[in-house]
């Protein structure tokens, strides 16, 4: 199976698992383009990195399975999402 070579990751206000209707208004507080590293992360999914973000992403569901931001876990109150273009089409960013 071929994996996308890059994704746009959006860090948005809200807790993972909340519906989009429950999310606070406004856009992402940070975004980054991450590219495939060729490695597999501890989660078992392909690893992507760029702009201070390292993420393991499930290419089948476009779910962010593991994430580090500037070397630390994601701050409470934020969640990570794949940019709309990637999530809808699976296309590279």
């Amino acid at each position: 199976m071929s994996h996308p070579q890059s994704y746009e990751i959006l860090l948005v206000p809200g807790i993972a698992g909340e519906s989009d209707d429950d999310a606070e208004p406004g856009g992402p507080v940070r975004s980054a383009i991450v590219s495939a590293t060729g490695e597999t992360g501890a989660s078992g999914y392909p690893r992507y990195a760029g702009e201070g973000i390292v993420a393991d992403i499930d290419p089948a569901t476009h779910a962010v399975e593991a994430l580090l931001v500037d070397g630390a876990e994601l701050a409470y109150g934020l969640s990570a999402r794949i940019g709309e273009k990637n999530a809808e089409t699976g296309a590279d960013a």
Side-chain angles (χ1 to χ4, degrees):
M1 176 169 136
S2 171
H3 303 300
Q5 291 302 300
S6 65
Y7 284 100
E8 178 182 28
I9 293 186
L10 307 173
L11 302 182
V12 296
I15 308 301
E18 289 182 347
S19 72
D20 289 338
D21 296 335
D22 296 336
E24 296 179 27
V29 295
R30 182 170 172 179
S31 67
I33 302 297
V34 293
S35 299
T37 65
E39 300 173 355
T40 299
S43 66
Y45 294 101
R47 178 155 290 168
Y48 294 79
E51 301 180 42
I53 293 180
V54 178
D56 296 356
I57 300 173
D58 179 349
T61 64
H62 304 286
V64 178
E65 298 293 342
L67 182 79
L68 292 176
V69 178
D70 299 328
E73 292 183 10
L74 189 61
Y76 185 77
L78 294 177
S79 63
R81 297 193 178 145
I82 298 299
E84 215 170 281
K85 178 179 176 184
N86 292 123
E88 290 179 2
T89 65
D92 289 349

